[in-house]
Amino acid sequence: MASTNQKTIKWLGTHYRQEIYALLIIFGIFPYVYPLSLPLTISRDTLSFYNAINNLKQGSTVLVMYRWGSGNWGELGGCAIALNSQLAQRHLKIVFSSMGTVGPLLLERVIGMQTGGKAALGVYGVDWVDLGFAPGDEKMITAIMESPDGIWRTYGQKDNYGNNFKDLPIMAGVRDHNSIDLVVVLTANGIISHVRQVYIPYKVPILCASIGVDWPEVKTFIDSGMVVGGVASLRGSAEYERLTGFLGPATSAIAGISFNHVLLLGLLIVGNITYWYGKARKETR
Amino acid sequence: MAIRQFVDRKPAELGVVGMSAIKRESVRLVLAAVLILTIVSYFVPYRPLESVVSTIVNASVIISAFALPVGAVNIIRYNLTSITKRKEEWYLNVWLLFCIALAAIPAVFYGQRQPIYQWIYNNVNLPAGSAISSTTAFFCATAMYRAFRVRNMDSFLLMVCCAITMLMNAPIGETIWSGFPIMGRWLSDYSQNTGVRLIWIGVGVGFVALCVRYIMGKETSLTGGE
């Protein structure tokens, strides 16, 4: 019996990669096959994010900036869909802009997946507009706050759908930072440039949905009051979906995260058992 | 400082070597001027100055756009060289150029709303991007198994913090014990924020120092110096 245990522990210490990969896949798929509802306490930051939008007056203008890419769909996709749905439900005027080349395509996908599609956002050019992509990163944020369509006018006087700005009534009311009531940033590249160019000079409130890796940076600005609220990665997206009532990809993925986290903790324990067992055996020799 | 260096230069120095020096100094002068103007406009609300700075910012955004074609030309040049010299696995370079052409031609000529381009993005780029991101989960899992060993008190504390944060993020954590989210948030709100703030303060001070070096003409890395 003791010999079998020793063999098992030795095997665990040497053969692990393929077995761990297989376990990870099984633990990830399991909640999709057998869905289970786990309690999800809404964090203070997600609640502030939700409330900041809910407290806006009907007809207020929200600038939504996409600073994420296709690799972040798992973490921010659910949040983006729920955000569009909440903005549409509140009858707010939405100006979309992208800081990455794939931003307009991501937006198309998000709109396609939200309840009611494009029609839910209202009339294009009156209730919402997609300015498209402009390069320049932080300089672009500065430029857009000075004149939201200035950069696009410089490029070719047209929005992402090829419409001339003078034919879009929404843009007549969006001239500079004074006409923007809220900036929502979906980011996979930090929030400090928005804090520098949006909050510090103009005091326009910022909301931020970020990937997990960037969350420590975002959190510091939330605690200092420079960012009003935040959605943290997949967990935050699932909380936000639950708050808005638009349950989507994040809600279905969060159970998988739970199972995989349990697996990782199990691996942590097994890894340490094999390590200490090996060490004890060496010492007895 | 940069102006002074330029004015003090002797006429004899302005030979062939002098021309490159002029180029170098003029870059430094422009850089210093732009920095001073931008900083002053931030603190002095003077409309004409703000307008000048706004034009500079818009110009810089437009210049940034040129990075895209430069990148495209570079990648095409590099791959064409590999193909013509028949370097190892050159057929992969051919495949790369083919993929670039397949995605770029519809987008460049018909815009991002072109159906072929959108199909490529939604059915190739997006799943591939998500797949690449998700592979990190596999590496993290094996790394946790191999690397998170309690060798001393420091590693023990690190492992405990890691476990609590994981149980805070996963809903199953609060199912096991309602204290995990509270402990996790304490770690996030206090210990983590303190560390990140210290980093940002350091970055801020460093950034100010770099700006001062640019204005004084001491920073030469942009003009080919060390």
Side-chain angles (χ1 to χ4, degrees):
Chain A
M1 188 66 185
S3 159
T4 319
N5 281 347
Q6 280 173 13
K7 273 183 189 169
T8 312
I9 289 169
K10 201 177 171 186
W11 182 85
L12 281 170
T14 48
H15 299 80
Y16 55 85
R17 195 159 289 158
Q18 292 83 352
E19 288 76 10
I20 289 174
Y21 289 174
L23 282 172
L24 209 60
I25 292 168
I26 293 164
F27 272 66
I29 290 171
F30 186 77
Y32 289 96
V33 181
Y34 298 102
L36 74 164
S37 178
L38 292 166
L40 193 69
T41 309
I42 309 294
S43 71
R44 200 177 52 220
D45 303 325
T46 314
L47 193 64
S48 307
F49 187 99
Y50 173 78
N51 285 338
I53 296 172
N54 245 15
N55 294 338
L56 285 175
K57 278 188 221 154
Q58 198 174 322
S60 302
T61 305
V62 180
L63 173 66
V64 181
M65 300 182 96
Y66 272 30
R67 201 185 193 183
W68 57 301
S70 42
N72 317 113
W73 180 263
E75 289 185 81
L76 295 177
C79 173
I81 297 166
L83 172 70
N84 273 14
S85 306
Q86 195 193 0
L87 293 172
Q89 201 179 41
R90 296 281 309 138
H91 301 290
L92 301 166
K93 295 207 180 296
I94 318 164
V95 179
F96 290 103
S97 70
S98 301
M99 298 173 74
T101 46
V102 296
L105 294 163
L106 274 172
L107 180 62
E108 282 288 316
R109 188 178 165 89
V110 168
I111 292 172
M113 288 178 79
Q114 79 179 77
T115 322
K118 266 182 194 160
L121 292 171
V123 181
Y124 186 79
V126 178
D127 300 308
W128 69 285
V129 65
D130 177 17
L131 299 176
F133 160 71
D137 207 65
E138 187 161 348
K139 297 183 290 293
M140 180 268 206
I141 307 169
T142 318
I144 204 172
M145 290 312 286
E146 284 175 1
S147 165
D149 59 359
I151 284 300
W152 284 273
R153 279 182 197 279
T154 314
Y155 277 131
Q157 310 280 333
K158 285 178 180 166
D159 70 347
N160 193 41
Y161 290 88
N163 300 303
N164 206 310
F165 281 117
K166 66 178 191 315
D167 301 329
L168 302 170
I170 188 173
M171 294 316 290
V174 186
R175 301 310 320 150
D176 60 12
H177 55 88
N178 291 314
S179 31
I180 297 168
D181 300 291
L182 182 71
V183 173
V184 185
V185 189
L186 285 96
T187 177
N189 198 17
I191 191 70
I192 191 161
S193 23
H194 285 88
V195 171
R196 275 200 294 251
Q197 307 302 336
V198 177
Y199 180 79
I200 294 173
Y202 306 120
K203 298 288 178 285
V204 177
I206 305 172
L207 295 180
C208 177
S210 114
I211 58 167
V213 175
D214 285 336
W215 182 247
E217 179 193 318
V218 177
K219 181 72 180 147
T220 52
F221 292 112
I222 291 176
D223 288 350
S224 65
M226 291 172 156
V227 174
V228 179
V231 167
S233 188
L234 182 61
R235 159 93 194 205
S237 296
E239 290 172 10
Y240 184 55
E241 280 186 354
R242 200 163 282 197
L243 273 173
T244 53
F246 298 103
L247 301 183
T251 307
S252 54
I254 197 74
I257 288 286
S258 271
F259 274 79
N260 275 328
H261 276 46
V262 169
L263 171 68
L264 292 180
L265 284 172
L267 290 173
L268 204 73
I269 294 161
V270 174
N272 275 289
I273 291 171
T274 53
Y275 170 71
W276 282 101
Y277 181 79
K279 204 175 172 186
R281 273 180 67 86
K282 265 183 199 167
E283 278 169 11
T284 46
R285 274 179 203 164
Chain B
M1 183 65 79
I3 300 167
R4 180 144 196 165
Q5 282 172 359
F6 185 64
V7 172
D8 286 350
R9 204 172 287 280
K10 288 174 188 168
E13 288 177 349
L14 298 172
V16 180
V17 181
M19 284 311 288
S20 67
I22 289 172
K23 278 184 193 169
R24 205 168 45 239
E25 298 302 335
S26 54
V27 169
R28 282 190 211 168
L29 276 173
V30 170
L31 194 65
V34 168
L35 274 169
I36 291 167
L37 273 176
T38 316
I39 292 166
V40 171
S41 82
Y42 197 83
F43 294 103
V44 182
Y46 179 54
R47 181 57 70 182
L49 186 63
E50 281 173 6
S51 159
V52 170
V53 171
S54 175
T55 310
I56 292 171
V57 169
N58 281 352
S60 66
V61 175
I62 293 160
I63 292 165
S64 307
F66 285 96
L68 293 173
V70 168
V73 168
N74 250 345
I75 201 164
I76 291 168
R77 236 183 70 182
Y78 173 80
N79 284 285
L80 279 178
T81 315
S82 298
I83 294 163
T84 48
K85 288 185 178 172
R86 288 286 192 275
K87 284 188 178 171
E88 201 180 341
E89 295 180 334
W90 59 272
Y91 49 88
L92 292 175
N93 302 99
V94 176
W95 177 243
L96 181 84
L97 288 179
F98 172 72
C99 291
I100 289 174
L102 193 68
I105 290 169
V108 169
F109 291 103
Y110 302 101
Q112 282 198 329
R113 307 189 50 70
Q114 210 277 337
I116 296 173
Y117 182 68
Q118 288 212 334
W119 187 91
I120 292 170
Y121 180 75
N122 284 325
N123 298 292
V124 180
N125 192 313
L126 201 87
S130 298
I132 289 167
S133 290
S134 61
T135 50
T136 51
F138 292 91
F139 295 124
C140 283
T142 50
M144 277 198 90
Y145 184 69
R146 279 176 292 140
F148 262 125
R149 301 282 157 90
V150 182
R151 291 188 170 90
N152 48 36
M153 196 47 155
D154 294 354
S155 56
F156 174 72
L157 286 174
L158 183 70
M159 198 189 81
V160 170
C161 291
C162 165
I164 291 171
T165 311
M166 281 170 71
L167 288 165
M168 172 194 78
N169 278 326
I172 206 154
E174 58 191 276
T175 314
I176 297 166
W177 181 46
S178 59
F180 282 131
I182 298 163
M183 288 167 75
R185 282 197 190 107
W186 184 87
L187 281 173
S188 155
D189 291 355
Y190 294 95
S191 50
Q192 172 195 273
N193 273 4
T194 314
V196 175
R197 274 188 191 153
L198 279 173
I199 292 168
W200 279 118
I201 291 166
V203 169
V205 172
F207 199 64
V208 170
L210 187 71
C211 282
V212 171
R213 279 178 66 81
Y214 276 130
I215 291 168
M216 305 277 286
K218 299 255 182 199
E219 185 60 47
T220 54
S221 55
L222 278 182
T223 49
E226 284 180 8

